[in-house]
Amino acid sequence: MNLRERRKRRDAASAYSTPQEATENDSMTALDQPRPLSAADDDIGREKRLRMFRLLLELRLTEKRAYDLFLQNLVKGTSHLSLGQEAVAAGFALGMRRDDYTFCTYRGHAHTLARGAPMSGVLGELMGRECGVTAGKGGSMHLTSVEHGAMGSYAIVGAHLPVACGAAWSAQYRGTDQVTACFFGDGTTNIGAFHEALNFAAVWKLPVVFVCENNLYMEYTPIGTVTAVEHPAADRAAAYGLARTIVDGNDADAVFRTASAAFARARAGQGPALIEAMTYRHSGHSRADPAQYRPKGELDEWLKRDPIKIYRERLVSLGFPEVDLGAIEADTERRVNEATEAAKASPPPPLTLIEKDLWADGGVAWRN
C-alpha cells in the first residue's frame, strides 16, 4: 500500500459520526484485506467463534438483568451500563492470557465478566451482597477480581491509566510476558493522565494496550464538540510514536484480530499500542440519564449495528446451525437466572468486614 492509499484509508476512518464500515489504521493489518468468512479455515475458527457468541450473550443478558434489579431497587447506588459495547470487552478478553491484567472504568461490568468473574459475583456486588466479587464493599463502580486478572474499575476519570502502566512495568521487570489492557472512554483523552501515561508507556516500551471505547459521548457532551481532532485517541497517537489504530468496536471479530496483533507485539517487547474502538452505548450515561441530548434517529441507526445482531447473522452465514445458536441462547439465559437467584439469596456482608482489606496485609492497623 503506497502513501496516497494509506492517507485515503486514514481519511475514510474519520467519518465515524454514524455507524459505517470499519477502517483499519496504516500499520495494523487485521482488517487490511477482506478475509474469507469460513468457520473451518479462517484465523478465528469454529470453537472460538462459539465462545465469542456465548460471551457476548453473557455480557448482554447480565447487564440487562442488572438493569431489571435496579428498577426493583435491589442495586445499591447507580450503575453505568455498556449495553451495545459488548464486542469490545469480548474481543479483547478472548485475545488475552489468563494471567494478563485488565483495568477499566466505572462502566466495567462487561470487562470484569469477560475476564471470567462469575455472574453471581458481579450481580451480588451490585446488590451489596456477601457473594459479590469484593463481598459487597465495592459496588457497581469498583468491580475487582484479581484472581481473574480484573484489576479494578475506577470511578475517577483517567486515574487508572498510570496504574496500568505500573502493572505493565512490573511484568516487564519480572520478564513474565504478561500484557496489560487498559480501557477508557473518549472523554478520558482530554485528561492529563491520558497523555502522561501514553508518554511514559512509550518511553519505557511497556507491554500495555490502551483502548479508547469511543461511544461518541463524554457523559452528556458529544466528544467532537470539545476536542480539536476527529478521533480523540487515534489522531493523537503519533505524538507518542504510536500507530494510528481505529477498529469497528461493534464487530467482535475485528476487535479480536486487532487486540491479538497488539498483544503479540507487546509480548515481543515492541511496546504499547493505542486503539480507538468506535462503538455506541444503547442507554444513557447512567441510570439517571434519559439521554435526551442525542439527535433523533441516532440510536436507531446504531441499533442496526448491534454487536450481537451482527455476530449472530455472521455465524448463520458461516453455516452454524440455528439450533446450536438457540441452545447457547437458552443456556445463557438459564445461567443468568440461576446467578440472579444465587445473588439474591446471599446475605449482606457482616459489619466486621469493614475492618478487613484496608491494607495489603488484609488488616486495618495503622503503620508509620
Side-chain angles (χ1 to χ4, degrees):
M1 181 184 297
N2 61 35
L3 181 59
R4 181 174 296 178
E5 290 173 332
R6 290 189 177 189
R7 286 175 175 168
K8 285 182 179 179
R9 184 178 291 274
R10 181 196 66 190
D11 294 341
S14 299
Y16 257 105
S17 57
T18 57
Q20 49 190 281
E21 203 63 29
T23 304
E24 261 293 354
N25 68 95
D26 295 346
S27 62
M28 299 281 282
T29 58
L31 297 179
D32 212 35
Q33 299 294 332
R35 290 182 177 273
L37 292 179
S38 168
D41 60 12
D42 79 349
D43 59 322
I44 297 179
R46 175 180 177 82
E47 180 182 354
K48 188 154 289 183
R49 279 209 166 89
L50 289 176
R51 286 175 57 200
M52 184 82 78
F53 182 59
R54 182 181 293 275
L55 183 54
L56 288 168
L57 288 171
E58 289 176 358
L59 305 185
R60 173 66 58 87
L61 295 181
T62 304
E63 280 217 305
K64 279 190 170 182
R65 183 56 49 83
Y67 174 72
D68 295 340
L69 294 171
F70 181 87
L71 294 181
Q72 297 171 40
N73 201 32
L74 291 174
V75 171
K76 307 304 179 184
T78 189
S79 61
H80 303 78
L81 304 180
S82 58
L83 297 172
Q85 301 181 202
E86 295 91 350
V88 179
F92 271 89
L94 259 63
M96 299 179 78
R97 288 189 340 203
R98 187 172 182 84
D99 62 344
D100 289 337
Y101 300 127
T102 292
F103 290 80
C104 58
T105 71
Y106 47 78
R107 201 179 306 281
H109 305 161
H111 291 294
T112 306
L113 288 163
R115 291 307 311 276
M119 289 182 282
S120 58
V122 171
L123 293 174
E125 190 63 33
L126 268 60
M127 291 190 284
R129 303 300 174 91
E130 193 172 26
C131 72
V133 290
T134 59
K137 293 176 71 175
S140 171
M141 298 174 71
H142 301 284
L143 294 175
T144 304
S145 183
V146 174
E147 64 180 298
H148 296 100
M151 308 304 289
S153 305
Y154 292 74
I156 300 175
V157 175
H160 60 302
L161 274 70
V163 183
C165 283
W169 203 3
S170 166
Q172 183 187 70
Y173 179 80
R174 291 180 286 114
T176 60
D177 294 330
Q178 291 169 282
V179 169
T180 296
C182 181
F183 300 90
F184 51 92
D186 43 276
T188 301
T189 61
N190 290 333
I191 297 292
F194 166 79
H195 301 277
E196 294 172 5
L198 262 292
N199 184 69
F200 186 85
V203 168
W204 289 95
K205 298 187 71 174
L206 299 181
V208 56
V209 177
F210 296 100
V211 187
C212 174
E213 298 183 75
N214 187 348
N215 60 24
L216 308 187
Y217 293 93
M218 42 181 297
E219 292 196 6
Y220 322 111
T221 304
I223 186 66
T225 64
V226 295
T227 307
V229 292
E230 181 74 21
H231 286 278
D235 287 346
R236 289 161 163 164
Y240 306 104
L242 303 178
R244 182 182 188 274
T245 309
I246 300 169
V247 67
D248 182 351
N250 281 20
D251 184 335
D253 284 348
V255 172
F256 171 75
R257 289 180 175 126
T258 302
S260 297
F263 291 147
R265 286 197 304 274
R267 293 192 208 284
Q270 297 178 26
L274 175 60
I275 298 168
E276 185 168 339
M278 303 305 301
T279 185
Y280 195 82
R281 53 174 160 83
H282 292 172
S283 56
H285 171 68
S286 69
R287 295 311 331 135
D289 173 23
Q292 294 179 353
Y293 45 81
R294 298 191 290 202
K296 184 178 180 180
E298 183 180 80
L299 175 59
D300 294 334
E301 287 301 309
W302 277 93
L303 286 174
K304 295 176 183 177
R305 289 194 46 75
D306 182 291
I308 297 179
K309 174 179 178 290
I310 289 173
Y311 212 73
R312 196 184 198 285
E313 291 175 351
R314 178 172 297 157
L315 293 182
V316 171
S317 72
L318 291 171
F320 288 79
E322 284 274 5
V323 64
D324 291 351
L325 302 183
I328 291 175
E329 291 165 337
D331 182 65
T332 304
E333 186 171 0
R334 175 189 61 79
R335 291 170 53 236
V336 171
N337 289 337
E338 291 177 353
T340 302
E341 295 309 311
K344 285 182 176 180
S346 180
L351 289 178
T352 54
L353 194 66
I354 201 170
E355 295 184 351
K356 293 183 179 180
D357 302 323
L358 183 63
W359 302 108
D361 63 7
V364 295
W366 175 252
R367 297 169 295 171
N368 56 30

